[in-house]
Amino acid sequence: MLKKSILTIVALTFFLSCKWNDEEKNKKNDTITNAKDVVIGGDKDKDGCLASAGYTWSKLNKECVRVFSGIQLLPADKIKASEDEAVLAAYLLFDESATNAEVFLPNEEESVLLTRESEGKPWVNGDWQLISYKGFVLKKAGKLLFVGDGEIGNRVTGSDDSEDLAP
């Protein structure tokens, strides 16, 4: 009788462990199937640009671009920000003739297109004004907003006195 009880317990344990393993395998297979259904890089915006790879639509160049490959403009009040401080920058792109500029502002979905009449003149669009002065100075309605040294990706250092930055 004791042998039959032990044999029954062993058989039951074996049967239940096999069933548990089958359930675990099915869960793993479901997970793998669901993972296959996820499309990596399927986050294209309305213009077809792959946002997860850093691309956004350029109205100026009529193509998807990485704005951070342009000229970085830092907020005028954050020029002396420490290396560790997070700063939301604007980025600047030009067309081949440098007659037109496109400014990508942080936290704004639409970029701003600016045009200049001739070399030496500022790029303008309504209240917006981009001035080439010790790099670039971006103003809106006369208020200094962003500055950049004209180098791609470099941080501006120096005086944060707006009088030193205005032409």
Side-chain angles (χ1 to χ4, degrees):
M1 177 84 173
L2 185 62
K3 278 186 175 182
K4 286 184 180 181
S5 296
I6 292 175
L7 189 57
T8 304
I9 291 173
V10 169
L12 238 152
T13 305
F14 179 74
F15 175 74
L16 290 175
S17 67
C18 288
K19 186 175 181 181
W20 182 78
N21 279 340
D22 287 343
E23 288 175 5
E24 286 300 309
K25 284 180 185 176
N26 288 339
K27 284 181 186 176
K28 285 180 183 176
N29 287 339
D30 287 345
T31 303
I32 290 170
T33 302
N34 290 340
K36 287 179 184 176
D37 294 339
V38 175
V39 177
I40 304 297
D43 63 335
K44 291 186 177 181
D45 66 11
K46 64 181 173 46
D47 297 303
C49 300
L50 192 58
S52 64
Y55 287 95
T56 190
W57 183 254
S58 169
K59 295 184 269 186
L60 183 64
N61 294 318
K62 306 278 190 270
E63 65 181 349
C64 296
V65 297
R66 288 184 167 171
V67 296
F68 50 83
S69 66
I71 296 171
Q72 185 182 58
L73 304 175
L74 296 176
D77 61 347
K78 298 284 185 184
I79 295 172
K80 286 193 171 191
S82 72
E83 291 292 322
D84 298 335
E85 185 178 348
V87 176
L88 296 176
Y91 289 91
L92 180 61
L93 297 176
F94 291 98
D95 63 3
E96 288 184 26
S97 67
T99 303
N100 299 296
E102 185 170 13
V103 179
F104 295 88
L105 299 162
N107 301 322
E108 295 291 331
E109 287 196 25
E110 293 290 322
S111 60
V112 177
L113 292 175
L114 307 163
T115 305
R116 71 175 175 178
E117 294 175 10
S118 62
E119 192 171 333
K121 299 275 186 180
W123 293 263
V124 294
N125 180 351
D127 289 347
W128 291 97
Q129 187 177 32
L130 177 68
I131 302 164
S132 178
Y133 177 76
K134 295 183 182 180
F136 294 98
V137 175
L138 181 65
K139 295 180 176 185
K140 183 173 184 182
K143 182 180 179 195
L144 179 64
L145 298 178
F146 291 92
V147 296
D149 60 7
E151 298 294 323
I152 295 174
N154 287 347
R155 290 189 68 137
V156 176
T157 57
S159 174
D160 61 353
D161 185 358
S162 62
E163 289 182 19
D164 290 345
L165 300 172

